[in-house]
Amino acid sequence: MHARGMDFPPLTPADNAFAARLPQGVLRAVEPRYLEERRGLFHGRAGLVAAPRNTGEVAAIVRAANEARVGVVPYGGGTGLVGGQVMPDGPVPLVLSLERMTAIRGVYPAENVIVAEAGAVLADVQAAAVAEDRLFPLSLGAEGSCRIGGNLSTNAGGVNVLRYGNTRELCLGLEAVLADGSIWHGLKRLRKDNTGYDLRGLLIGAEGTLGVITAAALRLFARPATTGAALFVVQSPAAALDLLARAGGRIGSGISAFELISGQGMRFLEATGCAARVPLDAIPDWAVLIDLGLGPDDDPQAALVGLYEEGAAAGLVLGGVIAQSEAQRAGLWAMREEIPEANKRIGAISSQDISLPLSAIPEFIPAARAAVAQVGEFRINVFGHLGDGNLHFNVFPPEGRARGDYPGEMRARVAEAIYDVVAAFDGSFSAEHGVGRLKVGDLERYGDPAKLAAMRAIKAALDPNGIMNPGAVLRR
Amino acid sequence: MHARGMDFPPLTPADNAFAARLPQGVLRAVEPRYLEERRGLFHGRAGLVAAPRNTGEVAAIVRAANEARVGVVPYGGGTGLVGGQVMPDGPVPLVLSLERMTAIRGVYPAENVIVAEAGAVLADVQAAAVAEDRLFPLSLGAEGSCRIGGNLSTNAGGVNVLRYGNTRELCLGLEAVLADGSIWHGLKRLRKDNTGYDLRGLLIGAEGTLGVITAAALRLFARPATTGAALFVVQSPAAALDLLARAGGRIGSGISAFELISGQGMRFLEATGCAARVPLDAIPDWAVLIDLGLGPDDDPQAALVGLYEEGAAAGLVLGGVIAQSEAQRAGLWAMREEIPEANKRIGAISSQDISLPLSAIPEFIPAARAAVAQVGEFRINVFGHLGDGNLHFNVFPPEGRARGDYPGEMRARVAEAIYDVVAAFDGSFSAEHGVGRLKVGDLERYGDPAKLAAMRAIKAALDPNGIMNPGAVLRR
């Protein structure tokens, strides 16, 4: 094994000299699951897979890797959508899986805090909160398999950001192993702690490039005593935003989610035979799914009726349904959650996770449509977390053609057309999925130069040998 | 002028060579107000005071200072309590006052966003939000004179953190000048933006040691349609916490503030002739001030009556008053806000701003009292933002003696006694005031070594010449 500055030596399972320096019993077989990425955009490589049992073992592995200049790719549930969890090129790395560190270290209902290890599956963290009659509000499609360490490393968003914030806002404290193998014991259960730089916020969203998160103290909330949901047909995205503002005035912080759904998305659901039903007589151009969580003395259905009436009187709302039971509410959510599956069955040429200033959205959507039309004839499914200004802007071939008909060059042109419009409206080319390896070039193109320079300086300062998730976020 | 590595040359008003490199018209007279600190713990020095009119001028000043290795002390409203805004020793710095950058650059009510320059006074930001029927929830005693740039740089807390979060959580985007004079244009109005490291969160709370914040995009909220407040006498801090949990279950996110007030604090108010009245027949050992902000169809008074009845039935609440008018609510808050003034009139030996895991507070208070009693005979006034686990733990001489009777050595022993107990309960020695220059030694003693090493590496990476607020947070 030869360390050559920032260059990594190749690492293979036969590299016994390095493996012998790792804690006993941490090595796993290099199974394909560690190397696959669900969209098939990347195929990873790994010389070794290590699955440590505790933070001390994580530290020992990272310290050994740092001394030997071996790259370390932290691996959670493998559900990331930008290739942050797989390293397809460069010197072969060690994959560090958190799958054996799944403990809920403590639940503190009186404090509204839960302490979970990084490998805990998100759904298990949610369930541990429910067992103490509390809510851990992070919720997203992959919650049955993604792990909380990955959610933290990517600052995951999801459907409840409007009310509860992104993962960063849900985290009070962290325990992490830094690139030199030192352990930061920052697992504070404090709401206020102004004792130095925000290392917590920096590691969250750093996608494993500055260290490995091993555990987190996370915020819990009272579970809403009453809930409700409605699907309202709206005149336009502008009408949806007006309705959102009115809902804020009427219902305040009781709005848990406010999702935009396009007619194209509903047609895809029907065309692909997805199980979810659209409970409307005809498919409209636009609809919003509104979810409420209120107090014990409140009446969410009455609140939704009031909002409907105000919206209808103002010409914003054209129809819709209000769930009359928890099962109907679940049905509305099932429809929303199945849109990505329908998209997958149709086969997108380009899937963008973007965000915009809320008031720019009505102008942005037609402008982005027009820009994409300049590249060619496509179908577009725009949907997402309207309350957060977060749209999933997905581009599909016209009927009768398939994704495979479009070369990569065409896909890149579509993405660029969208991103240029996003940039013109002061938006973001990655709202909740992160940069990973997929969007490194986009960050270089659209990112602020002063911020990029600061990021590179921070990376060099905290990981001088460049071992942590090499090539993610910043080019190797 | 001689640059000698990390050493700064002395700078005086006569230093024309350096002054000539600054933008025209930015220099101000070195008035005493730039060098004073309200508790009189520090007296600053300044060779020059510069008050730039725009971000370009801030950049030019910082660039010149970086090239000349002149220290830059950013100055907002001068209300900080830990000496972050005054540099009492070391090479004489330039004071960079944001007082001329006070513009509200835009209010976006449909987005719930306001963009303010760093020199805007907090009360003016609040007022600009109200003018658009919105709430900017950051609220603290100094709001009439502190500036939003200082609030951001110290990650200010205040009375509404329980509901709306610290300043960091209220900020969506920043514009800032980094130590090399480059401008980061990060003034995004986005709720979700996962495009690289959280430079925003890092500059917030860095107390001017990594750069100068020049403007911020801040979150607004719907103004609560109905409000209410009550002062409940409680059995103990444990009873107060139990009541807080019950309030969370009954009222959810409608609780804007939950403040603990001690009998000692109320006795100080009466003894010092403060204007605020305690609206109770007798002064109790403990009370809580609860503030609600609810929707248009809600009844805050009824909610407080319900909470009172539940608390009384459980033996937690022993009496109290519920405000019957906005004037009575303001009266309760005036009482709470005057406690620091009463403390000042009595004269504290030691004033600590600490935080603890919520459930540790009932054990912490007697443990800290006992530790202080080991040092000597004192009166203690514990009060603060109980909902955030944030206590102001202030220690006073017994009746008949004065603060001046106690040497600095004794004060240090009191602080150390408290901090050791705080550390034993996994708390923080600085909850909302920051580190500044006052608590640099405490950070070295109580801070996590891995985090401190990371902070020093970040400081060296982003400010290699050490010009930004030298000696604050980290030792020069």
Side-chain angles (χ1 to χ4, degrees):
Chain A
M1 179 170 290
H2 310 279
R4 288 158 295 171
M6 290 290 286
D7 234 5
F8 300 124
L11 177 67
T12 70
D15 193 329
N16 293 322
F18 176 68
R21 296 166 65 179
L22 303 180
Q24 281 214 319
V26 300
L27 291 181
R28 291 287 218 220
V30 183
E31 293 168 17
R33 67 185 169 107
Y34 297 114
L35 308 176
E36 288 160 2
E37 177 271 314
R38 61 158 67 177
R39 287 186 180 165
L41 299 173
F42 298 94
H43 190 80
R45 300 184 301 153
L48 297 171
V49 172
R53 287 154 290 206
N54 55 55
T55 306
E57 289 188 348
V58 176
I61 293 164
V62 173
R63 195 179 314 115
N66 190 43
E67 287 166 6
R69 308 292 191 266
V70 170
V72 175
V73 178
Y75 189 90
T79 62
L81 294 170
V82 288
Q85 72 277 38
V86 284
M87 188 170 162
D89 48 30
V92 178
L94 174 144
V95 167
L96 180 72
S97 171
L98 279 301
E99 69 199 55
R100 290 162 94 181
M101 290 182 62
T102 61
I104 303 295
R105 290 198 192 160
V107 188
Y108 305 85
E111 298 177 14
N112 275 328
V113 175
I114 188 168
V115 178
E117 291 189 346
V121 169
L122 173 53
D124 294 337
V125 179
Q126 295 168 343
V130 167
E132 297 284 348
D133 195 28
R134 291 293 184 278
L135 172 73
F136 180 62
L138 183 64
S139 177
L140 42 91
E143 61 197 25
S145 52
C146 64
R147 297 178 191 272
I148 192 70
N151 299 140
L152 288 156
S153 291
T154 58
N155 188 30
V159 295
N160 289 329
V161 173
L162 175 64
R163 180 167 188 166
Y164 300 102
N166 293 286
T167 304
R168 186 178 284 120
E169 283 82 51
L170 299 176
C171 178
L172 298 174
L174 286 181
E175 177 191 88
V177 172
L178 305 182
D180 64 355
S182 62
I183 301 173
W184 171 39
H185 297 281
L187 218 47
K188 300 261 185 177
R189 311 196 309 268
L190 305 174
R191 307 280 158 164
K192 291 180 171 174
D193 180 20
N194 279 345
T195 53
Y197 301 161
D198 185 22
L199 190 58
R200 176 199 59 89
L202 187 62
L203 290 179
I204 295 172
E207 304 185 36
T209 63
L210 300 177
V212 186
I213 293 169
T214 52
L218 301 161
R219 296 179 68 187
L220 300 178
F221 295 83
R223 297 174 73 192
T226 57
T227 55
L231 182 71
F232 288 166
V233 175
V234 290
Q235 178 68 47
S236 62
L241 283 167
D242 190 342
L243 190 68
L244 171 65
R246 290 166 190 261
R250 296 180 70 93
I251 305 166
S253 56
I255 307 163
S256 300
F258 198 97
E259 300 280 307
L260 183 71
I261 300 174
S262 75
Q264 187 65 269
M266 291 183 260
R267 282 191 292 275
F268 281 177
L269 280 173
E270 299 201 335
T272 57
C274 281
R277 309 294 321 141
V278 178
L280 300 169
D281 296 334
I283 289 195
D285 285 345
W286 297 102
V288 291
L289 172 56
I290 307 171
D291 197 81
L292 304 186
L294 302 177
D297 303 328
D298 296 319
D299 183 344
Q301 285 190 31
L304 288 164
V305 169
L307 180 64
Y308 179 88
E309 288 170 353
E310 179 176 339
L316 308 170
V317 178
L318 309 177
V321 293
I322 295 174
Q324 303 296 311
S325 65
E326 196 53 35
Q328 288 187 0
R329 175 170 172 246
L332 292 180
W333 273 106
M335 183 193 70
R336 163 63 184 86
E337 298 288 358
E338 256 194 318
I339 293 174
E341 175 60 25
N343 285 344
K344 202 171 154 189
R345 294 184 189 180
I346 298 283
I349 288 167
S350 176
S351 304
Q352 304 308 334
D353 162 48
I354 57 181
S355 67
L356 295 146
L358 274 185
S359 58
I361 287 176
E363 276 187 78
F364 166 81
I365 292 176
R369 277 186 193 282
V372 170
Q374 292 285 318
V375 183
E377 189 197 336
F378 300 102
R379 289 177 294 178
I380 291 173
N381 182 11
V382 186
F383 66 106
H385 317 299
L386 188 69
D388 312 320
N390 178 191
L391 299 178
H392 298 306
F393 196 100
N394 292 7
V395 179
F396 300 84
E399 253 178 294
R401 298 194 63 186
R403 149 176 208 199
D405 300 346
Y406 294 83
E409 179 270 334
M410 180 74 113
R411 297 182 191 187
R413 279 174 59 207
V414 168
E416 193 179 309
I418 297 168
Y419 288 168
D420 283 348
V421 184
V422 168
F425 283 97
D426 264 339
S428 169
F429 65 84
S430 189
E432 58 178 8
H433 294 170
V435 176
R437 291 178 172 82
L438 185 63
K439 300 190 176 182
V440 169
D442 300 317
L443 181 59
E444 290 170 348
R445 175 168 181 163
Y446 296 102
D448 177 87
K451 178 176 172 179
L452 275 167
M455 284 173 57
R456 292 188 183 108
I458 291 168
K459 170 72 175 176
L462 296 186
D463 180 16
N465 298 318
I467 63 155
M468 290 308 311
N469 211 2
V473 185
L474 296 170
R475 206 172 288 278
R476 270 189 300 131
Chain B
M1 181 170 290
H2 310 278
R4 288 160 294 170
M6 290 291 284
D7 233 5
F8 300 124
L11 177 69
T12 71
D15 193 328
N16 294 323
F18 177 68
R21 296 166 65 178
L22 303 180
Q24 282 214 320
V26 300
L27 290 181
R28 290 290 218 220
V30 183
E31 293 169 16
R33 66 185 169 108
Y34 296 114
L35 309 177
E36 288 161 1
E37 175 271 314
R38 61 157 66 177
R39 286 185 180 166
L41 299 174
F42 298 95
H43 190 79
R45 299 184 302 153
L48 296 170
V49 172
R53 286 155 292 208
N54 54 55
T55 305
E57 290 188 348
V58 175
I61 293 165
V62 173
R63 195 179 314 113
N66 190 41
E67 286 166 7
R69 309 289 193 265
V70 170
V72 175
V73 178
Y75 189 90
T79 62
L81 294 171
V82 289
Q85 72 276 39
V86 286
M87 188 171 159
D89 48 31
V92 178
L94 175 145
V95 167
L96 180 73
S97 172
L98 281 300
E99 68 198 57
R100 290 161 94 180
M101 291 182 61
T102 60
I104 303 295
R105 290 197 193 161
V107 187
Y108 306 85
E111 298 177 15
N112 275 327
V113 175
I114 188 168
V115 178
E117 291 188 346
V121 170
L122 172 53
D124 294 339
V125 180
Q126 294 168 343
V130 168
E132 298 285 348
D133 195 28
R134 291 294 183 278
L135 171 72
F136 180 62
L138 182 64
S139 177
L140 43 90
E143 62 197 26
S145 51
C146 64
R147 297 177 191 273
I148 193 70
N151 299 140
L152 288 155
S153 292
T154 59
N155 187 30
V159 297
N160 289 331
V161 172
L162 175 64
R163 179 165 186 166
Y164 300 102
N166 292 285
T167 304
R168 185 176 287 121
E169 283 82 52
L170 298 175
C171 177
L172 298 174
L174 286 182
E175 177 191 87
V177 172
L178 304 183
D180 63 356
S182 63
I183 301 173
W184 171 39
H185 297 280
L187 220 47
K188 300 262 183 173
R189 310 196 309 269
L190 305 174
R191 308 278 160 167
K192 289 180 173 175
D193 180 20
N194 280 345
T195 54
Y197 302 161
D198 184 23
L199 192 57
R200 176 200 59 89
L202 187 63
L203 289 179
I204 296 172
E207 305 186 36
T209 63
L210 300 177
V212 185
I213 293 168
T214 53
L218 301 161
R219 296 180 67 187
L220 300 179
F221 295 82
R223 296 174 76 192
T226 55
T227 55
L231 182 71
F232 288 166
V233 175
V234 290
Q235 178 68 45
S236 62
L241 283 166
D242 190 343
L243 190 68
L244 171 63
R246 290 166 189 260
R250 296 179 69 95
I251 307 166
S253 57
I255 308 164
S256 299
F258 199 99
E259 300 279 306
L260 182 69
I261 301 174
S262 73
Q264 186 64 270
M266 292 184 257
R267 282 192 291 275
F268 281 177
L269 281 172
E270 299 203 332
T272 57
C274 281
R277 309 295 321 143
V278 178
L280 300 171
D281 296 334
I283 289 193
D285 285 345
W286 298 102
V288 290
L289 172 56
I290 306 170
D291 198 81
L292 304 186
L294 301 178
D297 303 327
D298 297 317
D299 183 344
Q301 284 189 31
L304 289 165
V305 168
L307 181 63
Y308 179 88
E309 287 170 354
E310 179 176 340
L316 308 170
V317 179
L318 308 176
V321 294
I322 295 173
Q324 302 296 313
S325 66
E326 197 51 38
Q328 288 187 359
R329 176 171 171 248
L332 292 181
W333 274 106
M335 183 193 71
R336 163 64 184 85
E337 297 287 359
E338 257 196 317
I339 292 175
E341 175 61 25
N343 285 344
K344 200 171 155 191
R345 292 184 190 180
I346 298 283
I349 289 168
S350 176
S351 305
Q352 303 308 334
D353 162 48
I354 57 181
S355 68
L356 295 147
L358 275 186
S359 58
I361 287 176
E363 274 188 78
F364 167 80
I365 292 176
R369 276 187 195 282
V372 171
Q374 292 284 318
V375 181
E377 190 196 336
F378 299 103
R379 288 178 292 178
I380 291 173
N381 181 12
V382 186
F383 66 105
H385 318 299
L386 187 69
D388 312 319
N390 178 192
L391 299 178
H392 298 308
F393 196 100
N394 292 7
V395 179
F396 300 84
E399 252 179 295
R401 299 193 64 184
R403 151 177 205 199
D405 301 346
Y406 294 81
E409 178 269 336
M410 179 75 112
R411 296 182 193 185
R413 279 174 58 206
V414 169
E416 194 180 308
I418 297 167
Y419 288 168
D420 283 348
V421 183
V422 168
F425 281 97
D426 265 339
S428 168
F429 65 84
S430 190
E432 59 178 8
H433 295 169
V435 175
R437 291 176 173 84
L438 184 63
K439 300 190 176 180
V440 170
D442 300 317
L443 181 59
E444 291 171 347
R445 175 169 181 161
Y446 297 102
D448 178 87
K451 177 174 172 181
L452 274 167
M455 286 174 57
R456 292 189 183 109
I458 291 167
K459 170 72 175 175
L462 296 185
D463 180 17
N465 298 317
I467 64 154
M468 290 307 310
N469 211 1
V473 186
L474 296 169
R475 206 171 287 278
R476 271 190 299 128

